Amino acid sequence: MNTIDRLRRDHKVLRAKLDVLESALSMGPDAWFVLREVCFTLSRQIRDHMSREEQLIAAAKNSLDPATLAHVSLEHKDEPRHLRTINKLFVTEQGHTLEHIRPELTRLIEGFRHHLDEEEAELFPVLERVLGGR
C-alpha cells in the first residue's frame, strides 16, 4: 500500500468514527461512556493520521501552493485543539449531561468531515502527482 492509499484508508476509518459519534449522540446521555471513549481514541487516530500527512506534505512542500499549505496547517492546529476541549468537557462535566458537549461534538463532526472532503479533493491529487507511488 502506498502512502496516499494509507491516507485514504485513514480517512475511511476516521469517517466511520465520526458516524459512530453521530449515532451515539442521537442516543442521548445513555451513550456518555461510548462517546467519551470514541472521542479519546479519535484524538489518537487523528494525531497519527496528521503525522503521516505532514510527512508527505513536507516531502512535497516545494510543489504545493502556499495557500494550500497554510490551510492544511491551520486545520491541523484547530481540530486537535477542538478535540482536546471536548475530551476535557468529558472529564469535567458533572452528571453525564450532553448539554455542553453535544454542540461542540456536532461542530467537530461537521468540520472534520468537511476537512476530509477538502483533502481528498484538493490535497491528495496534488500529493499523488508530486510524489507518485511512493
Side-chain angles (χ1 to χ4, degrees):
M1 171 182 304
N2 73 34
T3 53
I4 305 296
D5 289 339
R6 174 66 195 261
L7 292 180
R8 281 196 172 94
R9 189 185 76 171
D10 284 354
H11 278 210
K12 286 181 183 179
V13 170
L14 293 170
R15 284 181 198 282
K17 289 276 186 174
L18 296 175
D19 290 345
V20 168
L21 283 174
E22 197 168 53
S23 294
L25 263 179
S26 70
M27 297 170 75
D30 291 340
W32 172 271
F33 293 104
V34 171
L35 287 164
R36 187 181 73 177
E37 182 63 27
V38 173
C39 282
F40 287 150
T41 61
L42 182 63
S43 293
R44 183 180 36 82
Q45 287 174 316
I46 287 174
R47 184 192 68 228
D48 294 346
H49 169 72
M50 286 188 323
S51 175
R52 285 188 285 277
E53 213 169 59
E54 288 167 359
Q55 288 174 357
L56 287 180
I57 290 169
K61 185 177 180 177
N62 295 332
S63 302
L64 293 174
D65 175 358
T68 301
L69 281 171
H71 182 68
V72 168
S73 176
L74 178 65
E75 288 197 352
H76 279 194
K77 290 177 185 165
D78 286 346
E79 288 156 352
R81 185 173 34 234
H82 199 169
L83 255 173
R84 277 192 301 277
T85 300
I86 291 168
N87 286 333
K88 189 181 229 180
L89 283 171
F90 274 115
V91 172
T92 60
E93 188 72 25
Q94 298 296 317
H96 297 175
T97 176
L98 296 177
E99 180 183 346
H100 297 104
I101 293 171
R102 181 184 306 277
E104 292 297 322
L105 205 44
T106 300
R107 275 194 291 279
L108 174 80
I109 291 167
E110 291 170 0
F112 198 58
R113 281 184 177 147
H114 178 73
H115 173 82
L116 295 172
D117 290 341
E118 278 184 337
E119 283 185 350
E120 291 165 0
E122 299 169 20
L123 180 64
F124 287 10
V126 173
L127 289 175
E128 282 181 321
R129 181 176 43 82
V130 172
L131 299 174
R134 284 192 269 169

